[in-house]
Amino acid sequence: MGHSMPGGSRAAGRAVGLPDRPPPGPLTGAANRGSIGGMTAMFEFAGGELSVYPTGEDTEISFELFNVGDEVGKAEVGVELDGGYIASWTSEEMHPGYGDTPKILVGQITPGTHEALVYVNPGSGQNDHLRTVFVAE
């Protein structure tokens, strides 16, 4: 036998008097993702320089990056050399206000003057790329 509802009403497996669907509008903070009112995870470079350390066998690129958004997220950084894409790096999940200083190995670079560029996605719209000119010997 089913349970009696207040006032003596009964229904097979359903409460009587409740709506069939949830009310409109966000029920959790997750519903606000992507809205104008709330930021998602967004990343910026710390404002320091892009460091490039060429050696005869390998080249290391390093920078400092922070999550300046409101949510936990991962950053994806693209690396270009002389205008051509050469590598990418994806962070672990970073909480808002936290950062990382990765070291990315990009292989051997020919001797001469080069330009390196890194850019981050999702960027905040400011400090989302770094560029430097360096000499490899």
Side-chain angles (χ1 to χ4, degrees):
M1 184 166 236
H3 297 285
S4 290
M5 300 302 293
S9 299
R10 286 182 346 148
R14 281 192 63 223
V16 175
L18 295 177
D20 290 334
R21 62 183 190 277
L27 298 175
T28 67
N32 290 327
R33 289 191 178 117
S35 70
I36 294 173
M39 293 170 38
T40 59
M42 288 191 259
F43 298 90
E44 288 184 9
F45 294 106
E49 292 188 24
L50 175 61
S51 299
V52 180
Y53 302 104
T55 66
E57 299 166 7
D58 214 341
T59 300
E60 178 183 281
I61 295 180
S62 183
F63 48 84
E64 192 171 12
L65 180 74
F66 285 93
N67 182 348
V68 296
D70 289 340
E71 296 183 19
V72 174
K74 292 183 179 184
E76 184 172 342
V77 176
V79 181
E80 292 184 5
L81 180 67
D82 298 328
Y85 176 84
I86 59 169
S88 67
W89 172 83
T90 302
S91 72
E92 298 293 324
E93 288 196 334
M94 279 192 260
H95 289 271
Y98 284 80
D100 198 357
T101 308
K103 292 172 177 37
I104 304 168
L105 298 177
V106 297
Q108 188 174 15
I109 295 177
T110 58
T113 301
H114 299 279
E115 181 180 60
L117 168 72
V118 293
Y119 50 89
V120 63
N121 286 306
S124 69
Q126 60 184 12
N127 300 323
D128 57 5
H129 66 280
L130 290 174
R131 182 183 319 261
T132 193
V133 174
F134 67 97
V135 176
E137 297 178 359

